[in-house]
Amino acid sequence: MPKLFVANWKSNKSLEEVKQWLNDFHVELKDNQKVVIAPPYPLLSLVADKIKDLPRVFLAVQNLSSFPAGSYTGEVCMRNLEGLGVKYAILGHSERRRYLKESHQDVANKISQALSNGATPIVCVDQDYIEDQARVIEPNLLNQCVVAYEPLAAIGTGENAPADKVAKVSKEIKSVFGNVPVLYGGSVNPENITPYLRVTDGVLVGGASLDAEVFAKLIY
Ligand code: PGA
């Protein structure tokens, strides 16, 4: 399976900062490597334009409406993203569960919206709710997800999880979702990435993706 390197910029970066990042990002991807960039919504089209000719570089959203197109003020659904080339949707990130009170059911609804409109969900879970999350996802959609193991204690803290723990949780995820790609996220940086690439299908990177040169160093 190809290795996925996902840059989750979260709610960071201005227009000018994104232009700078895109100018600074130079990487020769191998055949088995894919990069996914997840900018804030208003900056999607800028990134889309810049990466359209780059092979194996894809665009993601960091969230999606749990509803289809319609009267849902403030929401962004797949219809609104048509033409931008959004291929992935990061769904159920712990920050959204925590600050925006997203429930497992909300996340399941978003997964249905993504998949029925051609985007692959990258579903974020911590170990203690893998099964609870999976239980509310339509069973036939489970094995169409990419799943990111994101231990809360490791996110943005510098306390990255041990790779053997990641390997163990990755097996648990596969036993519940099927043989899906599993990513690890939580304080990944160019110094600590190597063992994660041995035991997973890639990484979901927050802080270390904000600087294009640091992010490029992760990919080797
Ligand atoms: P971090 O964030 O790399 O800054 O720990 C990871 C994430 O939230 O996905």
Side-chain angles (χ1 to χ4, degrees):
M1 274 200 224
K3 297 287 179 205
L4 233 61
F5 298 83
V6 185
N8 176 15
W9 291 347
K10 309 190 179 184
S11 192
N12 291 294
K13 295 200 180 295
S14 64
L15 186 75
E16 286 308 315
E17 287 167 342
V18 172
K19 284 185 189 162
Q20 189 65 49
W21 194 100
L22 292 165
N23 281 336
D24 293 346
F25 184 62
H26 303 289
V27 69
E28 294 275 325
L29 294 176
K30 302 193 185 101
D31 288 347
N32 68 341
Q33 294 174 326
K34 282 188 192 177
V35 163
V36 178
I37 303 174
Y41 287 134
L43 303 166
L44 280 168
S45 70
L46 181 65
V47 180
D49 195 49
K50 192 80 181 189
I51 68 172
K52 66 177 184 299
D53 299 323
L54 297 181
R56 296 188 293 285
V57 181
F58 301 94
L59 197 59
V61 284
Q62 302 172 15
N63 179 35
L64 202 55
S65 176
S66 47
F67 303 101
S71 300
Y72 305 101
T73 301
E75 289 299 284
V76 175
C77 68
M78 285 301 294
R79 176 78 174 278
N80 310 135
L81 301 166
E82 261 175 39
L84 287 171
V86 170
K87 292 280 184 286
Y88 292 89
I90 298 173
L91 299 176
H93 191 282
S94 60
E95 288 152 11
R96 298 202 56 83
R97 295 177 191 266
R98 181 174 173 197
Y99 300 120
L100 287 306
K101 308 290 174 231
E102 272 186 17
S103 67
H104 299 323
Q105 187 61 58
D106 294 331
V107 176
N109 295 344
K110 292 171 187 218
I111 290 169
S112 302
Q113 285 301 319
L115 281 168
S116 57
N117 291 283
T120 300
I122 300 175
V123 186
C124 302
V125 293
D126 201 347
Q127 188 181 15
D128 55 344
Y129 56 82
I130 295 168
E131 288 190 17
D132 290 342
Q133 177 60 81
R135 198 170 297 123
V136 292
I137 298 171
E138 287 177 53
N140 61 323
L141 302 186
L142 284 171
N143 67 1
Q144 297 182 53
C145 297
V146 171
V147 181
Y149 168 44
E150 294 237 314
L152 197 54
I155 296 176
T157 59
E159 306 282 324
N160 52 305
D164 56 346
K165 171 82 194 269
V166 174
K168 180 173 167 279
V169 177
S170 167
K171 283 202 187 105
E172 284 175 37
I173 289 171
K174 285 176 194 275
S175 75
V176 173
F177 279 76
N179 191 24
V180 294
V182 175
L183 314 181
Y184 167 69
S187 297
V188 174
N189 63 40
E191 283 73 49
N192 65 23
I193 187 172
T194 303
Y196 300 120
L197 294 182
R198 280 196 207 111
V199 298
T200 68
D201 302 294
V203 286
L204 178 46
V205 186
S209 75
L210 294 176
D211 181 302
E213 285 164 21
V214 175
F215 185 60
K217 273 198 207 136
L218 287 163
I219 304 160
Y220 65 90

